């Protein structure tokens, strides 16, 4: 492997997550390697038919790539939005184990620690592959814009419409991302019956991916091809020709609905999107040239879109702390001292 941007999975233990990490790297033309700390090779052999992943020891990771960018929630982490490292062609983006994150030895060797800001206090992390896709998207674009600050971000939060998902785990991971980025409601047009239908095992897997035990998002069952009366619908997909994701206003509040499409199971061009809103705008997740020709997991593309929506919706602007006001009797005493009071020093009282 020649030095080039590389995604490093440190201690990833689920083979399906490792496979999705490889897909995320392929979306942006990055390499993908792993440091095996939890028998990933064995799990891969049992579950995956694809070629075995590339495993690299810590010493080689530290020698081959600089800067090392650790992508993990931690004390002192910089926001991913607007982050611009030097020498991006030789960097390694490191993501960690699904439960324990990045190991301390690799964190110690890292040059930067970055995170994507979460809003939810209950669902405060993304699926590891979805998180990696978000980081790769912004790093490939040179950092993107900074996180907005607003007096009341929720007034700018659009409605969310999920349509076309063909896999229950992909939809569950997308719902998890929506909750983590602060959405409390989403419309789900479940044509393939991967969320509201299906057998018990599939429903449990989907809800596990969505972290439903902690996830308070309300899911509204949308009628397939039903009509709505939003002012604007922004249909987001990887289909080329639309307005670039980062250049589209996705923070117009509840009068706007953002539609996240699973391109692998739905043809955007054959849908009647006018049923959702008076005005329809097509938005493209601007991937590298040719990347739209490949099928991409729904959790990856949808979480990229949600991250950009969350960046634009922003966080609450912190109010400047007011100067402490002295107690009323202090101000009265001060006024009296200025007008008529006599100042007595402690030394003068020693003879009394």
């Amino acid at each position: 492997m020649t030095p080039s941007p590389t995604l490093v999975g440190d201690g990833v233990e689920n083979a399906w997550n490792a496979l999705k990490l490889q897909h995320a790297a392929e979306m942006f033309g990055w390499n993908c390697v792993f440091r095996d700390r939890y028998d990933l090779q064995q799990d891969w052999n049992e579950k995956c038919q694809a070629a075995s992943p590339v495993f690299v020891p810590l010493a080689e990771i530290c020698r081959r790539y600089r800067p090392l960018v650790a992508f993990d929630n931690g004390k002192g982490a910089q926001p991913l939005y607007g982050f611009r490292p030097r020498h991006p062609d030789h960097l390694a983006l490191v993501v960690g184990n699904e439960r324990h994150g990045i190991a301390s030895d690799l964190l110690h060797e890292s040059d930067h620690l970055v995170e994507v800001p979460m809003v939810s206090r209950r669902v405060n992390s993304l699926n590891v592959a979805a998180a990696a896709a978000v980081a790769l998207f912004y790093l490939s674009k040179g950092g993107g814009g900074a996180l907005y600050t607003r007096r009341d971000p929720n007034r700018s939060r659009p409605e969310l419409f999920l349509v076309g998902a063909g896999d229950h785990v992909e939809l569950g991971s997308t719902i998890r991302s929506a909750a983590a980025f602060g959405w409390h409601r989403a419309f789900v047009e479940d044509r393939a019956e991967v969320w509201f239908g299906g057998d018990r095992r599939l429903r449990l897997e989907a809800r596990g991916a969505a972290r439903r035990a902690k996830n308070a998002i309300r899911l509204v069952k949308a009628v397939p091809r039903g009509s709505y009366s939003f002012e604007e619908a922004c249909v987001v997909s990887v289909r080329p020709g639309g307005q670039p994701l980062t250049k589209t206003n996705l923070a117009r509040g509840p009068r706007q609905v953002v539609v996240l499409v699973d391109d692998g199971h739905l043809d955007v061009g054959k849908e009647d999107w006018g049923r959702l809103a008076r005005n329809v705008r097509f938005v493209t997740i601007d991937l590298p040239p040719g990347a739209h020709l490949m099928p991409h997991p729904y959790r990856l593309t949808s979480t990229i879109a949600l991250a950009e929506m969350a960046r634009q919706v922003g966080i609450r602007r912190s109010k400047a702390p007011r100067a402490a006001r002295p107690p009323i009797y202090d101000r009265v005493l001060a006024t009296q001292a200025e007008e008529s009071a006599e100042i007595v020093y402690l030394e003068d009282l020693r003879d009394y």
Side-chain angles (χ1 to χ4, degrees), residues 175-257:
I175 292 168
R176 172 182 174 177
S177 297
F181 283 120
W183 268 264
H184 299 292
R185 180 174 71 175
F187 295 86
V188 180
E189 193 171 294
D190 187 19
R191 299 183 189 180
E193 296 187 344
V194 296
W195 182 266
F196 296 110
D199 59 34
R200 183 174 182 275
R201 180 184 63 84
L202 295 182
R203 290 198 302 270
L204 289 175
E205 289 180 354
R207 283 149 181 76
R211 294 288 178 90
R212 287 298 284 168
K214 297 182 177 180
N215 192 337
I217 191 171
R218 179 187 173 206
L219 301 176
V220 180
K221 186 177 182 179
V223 177
R225 299 177 178 84
S227 298
Y228 297 83
S229 56
F230 292 101
E231 181 176 310
E232 180 185 71
C234 291
V235 182
V236 181
S237 70
V238 297
R239 181 189 182 194
Q243 189 169 344
L245 178 69
T246 54
K247 296 182 179 180
T248 305
N249 184 351
L250 301 172
R252 296 185 61 201
R255 62 183 176 172
Q256 178 189 50
V257 61

